[in-house]
């Protein structure tokens, strides 16, 4: 089942890249990407939560997968709200910031909380090289994030947009740093293998976020851009990880 889901996920994500090559109308690409940005995180959330239910109530891994699922669901709700604005307000572009940003932003704290519980459950220390590597990547990502968001900070004339931009600026570097820390303590084997898919998924997510921010600053982004596939495949990797884990631990 896991392999079948992975194949279906790839097939459903591929049009983001293929449609422009085939000359498909931009409106169709826009609508398709928007729909997939709702479906993929929501499906990943469902898979994470049903995987969590495989574990006993007092098992830390139940909490880990539930936290991951809630994080995915928050992003999916953000995508729903983003898509709903033009429908509610007669085709107007979704403003920044808006309620959708709350959903997008909440992915990070829930994923980091899942990482914390996961690391604690393993009873292992993060190696020095893990801390150093995470710190280097965090600082590099933070520098890029600040540079890319300078124009948004400059345009923020009230506290709310400034705060939202600040949270975006810090959130992705924290997510990248946390991903590297978890990677530094992962072992091989059947139990650890699904978690490499989680980390790959989050790296794809981070990369899509980074390129998205750059393109927005340059005024070159529109929903349906090829970078949207990073989010779709990122959530797909996390969904596959959840299904792999469920197949290992279900009775």
């Amino acid at each position: 089942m896991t392999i079948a889901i992975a194949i279906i996920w790839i097939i459903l994500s591929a049009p983001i890249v293929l449609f422009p090559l085939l000359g498909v109308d931009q409106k169709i690409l826009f609508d398709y990407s928007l729909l997939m940005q709702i479906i993929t995180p929501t499906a990943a959330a469902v898979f994470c939560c049903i995987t969590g239910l495989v574990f006993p109530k007092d098992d830390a891994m139940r909490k880990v997968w539930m936290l991951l699922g809630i994080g995915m669901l928050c992003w999916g709700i953000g995508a729903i709200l983003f898509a709903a604005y033009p429908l509610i307000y007669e085709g107007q572009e979704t403003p920044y910031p808006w309620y959708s940003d709350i959903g997008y932003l909440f992915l990070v704290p829930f994923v980091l909380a899942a990482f914390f519980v996961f690391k604690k459950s393993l009873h292992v220390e993060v190696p020095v090289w893990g801390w150093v590597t995470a710190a280097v990547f965090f600082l590099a990502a933070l520098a890029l994030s600040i540079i890319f968001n300078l124009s948004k900070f400059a345009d923020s004339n009230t506290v709310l947009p400034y705060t939202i931009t600040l949270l975006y600026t810090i959130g992705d570097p924290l997510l990248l740093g946390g991903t590297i820390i978890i990677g530094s303590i992962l072992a091989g084997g059947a139990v650890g293998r699904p978690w490499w898919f989680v980390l790959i998924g989050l790296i794809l997510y981070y990369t899509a976020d980074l390129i998205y921010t750059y393109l927005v600053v340059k005024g070159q982004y529109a929903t349906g851009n090829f970078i949207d596939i990073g989010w779709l495949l990122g959530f797909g990797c996390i969904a596959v990880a959840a299904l792999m884990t469920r197949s290992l631990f279900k009775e």
Side-chain angles (χ1 to χ4, degrees):
M1 178 182 177
T2 302
I3 295 176
I5 292 294
I7 293 172
I8 292 171
W9 212 290
I10 292 171
I11 291 172
L12 290 176
S13 300
I16 300 299
V17 175
L18 295 178
F19 279 0
L21 298 177
L22 297 173
V24 175
D25 185 76
Q26 181 62 34
K27 180 65 167 61
I28 296 175
L29 179 58
F30 177 94
D31 291 341
Y32 186 82
S33 180
L34 210 55
L35 179 62
M36 291 303 295
Q37 287 180 50
I38 293 171
I39 292 174
T40 53
T42 304
V46 171
F47 291 138
C48 286
C49 289
I50 64 174
T51 295
L53 294 175
V54 168
F55 297 92
K57 289 184 179 180
D58 58 347
D59 194 313
M61 293 307 298
R62 182 187 183 102
K63 185 180 294 185
V64 168
W65 285 105
M66 287 297 183
L67 286 168
L68 284 175
I70 294 171
M72 301 301 106
L73 182 60
C74 286
W75 205 93
I77 291 172
I80 292 171
L81 294 173
F82 184 88
Y85 189 92
L87 297 176
I88 297 172
Y89 295 98
E90 300 178 350
Q92 294 183 41
E93 185 177 348
T94 306
Y96 174 84
W98 202 55
Y99 296 108
S100 54
D101 292 295
I102 298 174
Y104 293 141
L105 285 168
F106 263 106
L107 177 142
V108 173
F110 278 109
V111 171
L112 291 179
F115 281 173
F116 177 80
V117 177
F118 178 65
K119 186 266 177 189
K120 190 176 180 181
S121 70
L122 293 181
H123 304 291
V124 295
E125 294 297 324
V126 178
V128 174
W129 70 264
W131 286 116
V132 172
T133 305
V136 169
F137 275 86
F138 168 77
L139 292 174
L142 182 62
L144 282 175
S145 190
I146 291 172
I147 292 170
F148 289 168
N149 283 294
L150 279 177
S151 61
K152 284 188 178 181
F153 282 121
D155 294 338
S156 300
N157 50 14
T158 62
V159 174
L160 181 60
Y162 188 92
T163 302
I164 295 296
T165 301
L166 182 62
L167 290 173
Y168 274 122
T169 301
I170 297 173
D172 280 348
L174 283 174
L175 187 65
L176 182 62
T179 299
I180 292 171
I181 286 174
I182 295 300
S184 72
I185 62 175
L186 275 184
V191 176
R193 193 174 300 120
W195 277 90
W196 288 110
F197 280 90
V198 172
L199 301 187
I200 291 169
L202 291 173
I203 289 172
L204 286 170
Y205 172 86
Y206 167 77
T207 303
D209 265 10
L210 182 67
I211 299 174
Y212 163 81
T213 303
Y214 173 79
L215 292 177
V216 167
V217 169
K218 295 295 183 179
Q220 298 174 358
Y221 177 81
T223 299
N225 190 287
F226 76 94
I227 65 103
D228 293 357
I229 200 170
W231 292 316
L232 308 188
L233 294 180
F235 294 129
C237 286
I238 294 170
V240 167
L243 290 172
M244 290 172 67
T245 301
R246 187 172 186 273
S247 67
L248 285 171
F249 291 95
K250 69 179 180 181
E251 297 180 354

